[in-house]
Amino acid sequence: MDGYLVGKMPPPWVEWNDQYRDTIRDFWRGQSAGTQTVATRLAGSSDLYADDGRSAYNSVNFVTAHDGFTVRDLVSYDAKHNEANGEDNRDGTDNNRSWNHGAEGETDDPEIRALRRRQAANLMATLCLSNGVPMLTAGDERGRTQGGNNNAYCQDNEISWVDWRPDDAWLDVYEVTKTALRLRREHPALRQRHWFEGRPTIIGGPKDLAWLHPSGREMTDEDWYDAGLRTVGMFVSGKPLRTPGPHGEQQIDSSFLLWFHAGAEPAEVYLPDNDWVSAGAIVLSTDPGLPEGKRVEVGEVLTLGARTVVVMEEAAD
């Protein structure tokens, strides 16, 4: 009775945000009803924590934990495979919100393998760049698998151990995760303590946060209720930040535009003309067609590959 308390603990408690987990899993497997709730989770889950005076740092974001699937298994299995636990596969949750992408378990199909690794990178990049505190499960950044076992507490063997050898590691996912965490560490714009307000932090400045439709306009009420929309852009302004520095000083950082595209087909996104940012450079990408370092200009049209994350940082003129 009253056992589910996510969002209901008093300050200064922080909470594992399983609503973040479920929303982000559903988004990347193509099962979300649009982008409305996805945006709320990306921005720190104010619906859960703002009403009692807590900050986005009270949301411990995660897509996997010590129990349940690993990220690799999340993109490799539709169902749990706990036969080795000795309970006839009855133990462990059935609500995995997972997707095997066309084959159950390990496969030699190169297209399925490539898609799984891109989806794992998407999950890790989304987690590391969402507002709040990211919680990573050891080994997820390099493709650790439990062979589809989602309740491996009783397995003190290769099923549950972390194998640090590079032989079967998903080192491309590791590089994306490392890049995302480096960006987060170096840029306070990507780890803000104050809630976004969707309005300028100074008179005449840009909004601290703006959500962009692929067409380049800001999202409208109708867009938020478009159940078929699988793409959203998140513009985060760094000029200035709403959060002061350690001595109360005004903080200035780069501005960023993050595109999250969960659609099964490529999507064109338009970079809107504005008064604050004229050009940018791609600093993280899970799209092989949009490599890091590529410069982009305002007014340009980018084609995002299917199921990709692309992050652009404001570039000097």
Side-chain angles (χ1 to χ4, degrees):
M1 185 175 182
D2 295 328
Y4 184 76
L5 297 174
V6 172
K8 299 177 182 178
M9 299 298 289
W13 286 93
V14 301
E15 304 172 4
W16 283 21
N17 187 350
D18 63 352
Q19 294 190 37
Y20 178 95
R21 174 199 64 198
D22 293 350
T23 299
I24 299 305
R25 286 188 181 190
D26 282 350
F27 177 68
W28 284 115
R29 70 189 182 113
Q31 297 296 317
S32 64
T35 57
Q36 182 182 30
T37 306
V38 175
T40 301
R41 301 292 162 247
L42 293 173
S45 296
S46 59
D47 59 331
L48 299 176
Y49 305 110
D51 59 348
D52 57 9
R54 288 186 288 173
S55 75
Y57 268 50
N58 292 94
S59 177
V60 177
N61 300 328
F62 67 105
V63 291
T64 64
H66 64 280
D67 56 354
F69 279 155
T70 66
V71 161
R72 179 167 174 167
D73 291 352
L74 192 66
V75 299
S76 301
Y77 295 90
D78 277 353
K80 66 186 182 184
H81 294 268
N82 297 353
E83 290 81 7
N85 296 349
E87 298 183 40
D88 297 322
N89 206 34
R90 293 174 300 175
D91 62 308
T93 182
D94 293 311
N95 182 27
N96 294 294
R97 299 173 187 259
S98 59
W99 178 28
N100 67 20
H101 295 85
E104 188 73 355
E106 296 300 314
T107 178
D108 293 328
D109 187 307
E111 291 187 3
I112 294 177
R113 288 162 64 100
L115 178 54
R116 286 176 176 177
R117 291 169 82 131
R118 188 164 71 250
Q119 288 282 64
N122 290 336
L123 286 161
M124 297 303 288
T126 305
L127 173 62
C128 294
L129 295 173
S130 295
N131 214 25
V133 177
M135 183 181 78
L136 282 65
T137 303
D140 274 351
E141 76 285 353
R142 51 189 290 115
R144 183 176 77 91
T145 179
Q146 294 182 164
N149 194 317
N150 74 353
N151 193 35
Y153 76 98
C154 59
Q155 301 294 335
D156 184 11
N157 50 45
E158 289 84 355
I159 292 175
S160 62
W161 294 344
V162 177
D163 185 351
W164 296 107
R165 294 173 297 181
D167 306 48
D168 190 40
W170 287 6
L171 296 181
D172 49 345
V173 177
Y174 171 76
E175 291 299 329
V176 168
T177 306
K178 186 167 67 172
T179 297
L181 288 173
R182 176 182 55 78
L183 289 170
R184 183 184 181 93
R185 182 184 70 242
E186 294 177 353
H187 293 282
L190 298 175
R191 47 178 170 84
Q192 300 197 35
R193 292 182 176 273
H194 282 62
W195 293 110
F196 294 112
E197 297 183 13
R199 61 187 179 89
T201 56
I202 57 172
I203 296 175
K207 293 181 178 181
D208 59 354
L209 173 66
W211 298 103
L212 299 183
H213 186 271
S215 66
R217 68 170 185 268
E218 285 196 53
M219 293 281 284
T220 65
D221 289 345
E222 184 177 352
D223 294 330
W224 287 124
Y225 290 98
D226 180 357
L229 187 60
R230 295 288 180 264
T231 311
V232 64
M234 181 180 183
F235 172 78
V236 179
S237 172
K239 294 185 168 46
L241 301 181
R242 197 169 296 282
T243 304
H247 303 291
E249 73 277 15
Q250 189 179 71
Q251 289 197 93
I252 303 294
D253 194 11
S254 298
S255 296
F256 289 85
L257 178 54
L258 301 83
W259 285 105
F260 302 92
H261 173 52
E265 302 295 332
E268 288 189 340
V269 295
Y270 294 77
L271 307 182
D273 193 10
N274 63 91
D275 295 331
W276 302 283
V277 179
S278 60
I282 294 176
V283 291
L284 182 149
S285 175
T286 63
D287 182 352
L290 294 173
E292 292 178 18
K294 176 180 171 61
R295 185 177 172 91
V296 292
E297 306 284 341
V298 163
E300 196 172 336
V301 179
L302 287 183
T303 300
L304 304 179
R307 302 188 175 95
T308 49
V309 174
V310 175
V311 180
M312 291 173 279
E313 179 183 357
E314 172 188 7
D317 293 334

